[in-house]
């Protein structure tokens, strides 16, 4: 789930009234053509996204926006979401660019909390270069939307850009796994001597150095853990032979 304290995922209200199109009947996209349908959907999406922009750190998912604009217009499609929602967001981005507004399409995220490829196309189409990090770029645009459209709960300092909680947590897990662990410091007293080292500053003996990378630290430090295991390996064949 994307919900988290200070970050809101907005869903259309289940009790909101059904909007009947001017023709009095629902239509399928095949009856009017995909271009006309996308134009109608993008027009219906603007007030939905303006409502999101006026709530600090609110977002809406692709599937939620898709369901709402089809409900609002009465225009339905059996096509998969990935085949048409990007074109709708491109139109929204172009409209925002023409109005000199922040990009409202940045408020739309997928189920993982990321803006995805649809946002990249929207940025390119509206005259910008595709950013190196789409989600960081979208986070800044979302903050610009909240400020421009005067979100009611915007902090006094103007707020800060933020990834969705789900995406932020995933990135933190990736960073944690990528950070190498530090080996523990040796717990031996400073006055003691390690028989593997010979002295506190002496280099390890040559027969053990060539195998050092195969051993993971398991005791007080990398040196003691690695060389103790190697020594046992070296003694084992002799014991069996005796």
């Amino acid at each position: 789930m994307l919900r988290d304290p200070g970050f809101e995922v907005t869903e259309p209200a289940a009790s909101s009234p059904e909007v009947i199109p001017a023709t009095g009947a629902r239509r399928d996209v095949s009856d009017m053509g995909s271009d006309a349908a996308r134009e109608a959907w993008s027009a219906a999406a603007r007030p939905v996204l303006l409502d999101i922009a006026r709530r600090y750190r609110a977002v809406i998912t692709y599937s939620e926006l898709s369901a709402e604009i089809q409900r609002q217009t009465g225009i339905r499609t059996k096509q998969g979401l990935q085949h048409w929602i990007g074109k709708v967001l491109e139109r929204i981005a172009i409209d925002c660019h023409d109005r000199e507004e922040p990009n409202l399409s940045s408020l739309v995220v997928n189920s993982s909390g990321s803006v995805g490829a649809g946002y990249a196309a929207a940025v390119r189409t509206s005259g910008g270069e595709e950013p190196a990090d789409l989600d960081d770029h979208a986070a800044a645009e979302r903050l610009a939307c909240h400020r421009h459209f005067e979100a009611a709960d915007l902090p006094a300092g103007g707020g800060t850009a933020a990834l969705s909680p789900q995406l932020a947590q995933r990135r933190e897990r990736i960073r944690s796994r990528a950070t190498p662990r530090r080996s523990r410091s040796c717990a031996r007293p400073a006055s003691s001597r390690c028989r593997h080292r010979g002295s506190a500053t002496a280099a390890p003996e040559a027969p053990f150095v060539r195998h050092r990378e195969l051993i993971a630290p398991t005791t007080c430090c990398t040196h003691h853990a690695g060389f103790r295991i190697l020594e046992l390996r070296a003694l084992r064949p002799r014991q069996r032979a005796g």
Side-chain angles (χ1 to χ4, degrees), residues 46 91-104:
R46 179 173 172 82
R91 284 173 164 78
I92 293 168
I94 292 170
D95 181 55
C96 290
H97 182 266
D98 292 343
R99 294 171 185 262
E100 298 183 351
E101 295 173 347
N103 191 349
L104 287 168

Side-chain angles (χ1 to χ4, degrees), residues 149-174:
F149 297 108
E150 300 179 348
D153 50 351
L154 188 71
T160 57
L163 300 174
S164 69
Q166 189 176 5
L167 181 59
Q169 290 166 12
R170 186 166 71 250
R171 287 191 174 186
E172 182 58 34
R173 287 195 299 269
I174 292 171

Side-chain angles (χ1 to χ4, degrees), residues 2-10 49-60 107 138-165:
L2 293 171
R3 290 170 179 78
D4 193 76
F7 212 104
E8 176 187 358
V9 179
T10 300
L49 295 177
L50 285 175
D51 181 62
I52 304 297
R54 294 185 178 117
R55 281 177 275 172
Y56 182 55
R57 290 193 176 176
V59 293
I60 188 169
L107 298 164
E141 281 294 304
R142 286 195 291 268
L143 178 61
C145 286
H146 298 320
R147 289 173 173 174
H148 183 83
F149 297 108
E150 300 179 348
D153 50 351
L154 188 71
T160 57
L163 300 174
S164 69

Side-chain angles (χ1 to χ4, degrees), residues 15-46:
S15 60
S16 58
E18 188 74 11
V19 176
I20 304 299
T23 59
R26 292 188 176 86
R27 295 166 290 172
D28 188 86
V29 67
S30 59
D31 298 331
M32 57 188 306
S34 54
D35 283 344
R38 290 166 183 167
E39 194 64 36
W41 284 332
S42 62
R46 179 173 172 82

Side-chain angles (χ1 to χ4, degrees), residues 4-229:
D4 193 76
F7 212 104
E8 176 187 358
V9 179
T10 300
E11 299 181 34
S15 60
S16 58
E18 188 74 11
V19 176
I20 304 299
T23 59
R26 292 188 176 86
R27 295 166 290 172
D28 188 86
V29 67
S30 59
D31 298 331
M32 57 188 306
S34 54
D35 283 344
R38 290 166 183 167
E39 194 64 36
W41 284 332
S42 62
R46 179 173 172 82
V48 175
L49 295 177
L50 285 175
D51 181 62
I52 304 297
R54 294 185 178 117
R55 281 177 275 172
Y56 182 55
R57 290 193 176 176
V59 293
I60 188 169
T61 65
Y62 283 98
S63 59
E64 290 164 352
L65 180 64
S66 164
E68 183 65 5
I69 60 180
Q70 289 184 77
R71 186 184 70 82
Q72 291 281 347
T73 60
I75 303 170
R76 308 291 176 138
T77 180
K78 295 180 181 178
Q79 264 195 327
L81 184 64
Q82 70 276 14
H83 297 301
W84 61 271
I85 193 67
K87 295 296 183 182
V88 173
L89 293 181
E90 286 178 28
R91 284 173 164 78
I92 293 168
I94 292 170
D95 181 55
C96 290
H97 182 266
D98 292 343
R99 294 171 185 262
E100 298 183 351
E101 295 173 347
N103 191 349
L104 287 168
S105 68
S106 63
L107 298 164
V108 189
V109 298
N110 60 26
S111 58
S112 299
S114 173
V115 288
Y119 181 72
V123 172
R124 289 195 305 269
T125 304
S126 60
E129 294 184 3
E130 184 173 333
D133 190 307
L134 293 174
D135 287 295
D136 284 344
H137 185 277
E141 281 294 304
R142 286 195 291 268
L143 178 61
C145 286
H146 298 320
R147 289 173 173 174
H148 183 83
F149 297 108
E150 300 179 348
D153 50 351
L154 188 71
T160 57
L163 300 174
S164 69
Q166 189 176 5
L167 181 59
Q169 290 166 12
R170 186 166 71 250
R171 287 191 174 186
E172 182 58 34
R173 287 195 299 269
I174 292 171
R175 277 194 294 268
S176 297
R177 287 196 295 266
T179 304
R181 294 181 179 180
R182 295 180 180 179
S183 59
R184 298 176 182 176
S185 58
C186 183
R188 291 173 177 266
S191 59
S192 67
R193 291 165 62 88
C194 173
R195 63 189 178 87
H196 298 295
R197 296 190 186 188
S199 68
T201 57
E205 296 177 8
F208 298 106
V209 173
R210 64 174 178 269
H211 299 293
R212 185 175 182 181
E213 69 272 17
L214 301 176
I215 305 304
T218 56
T219 57
C220 63
C221 67
T222 303
H223 183 88
H224 293 130
F227 292 103
R228 183 172 299 117
I229 295 168

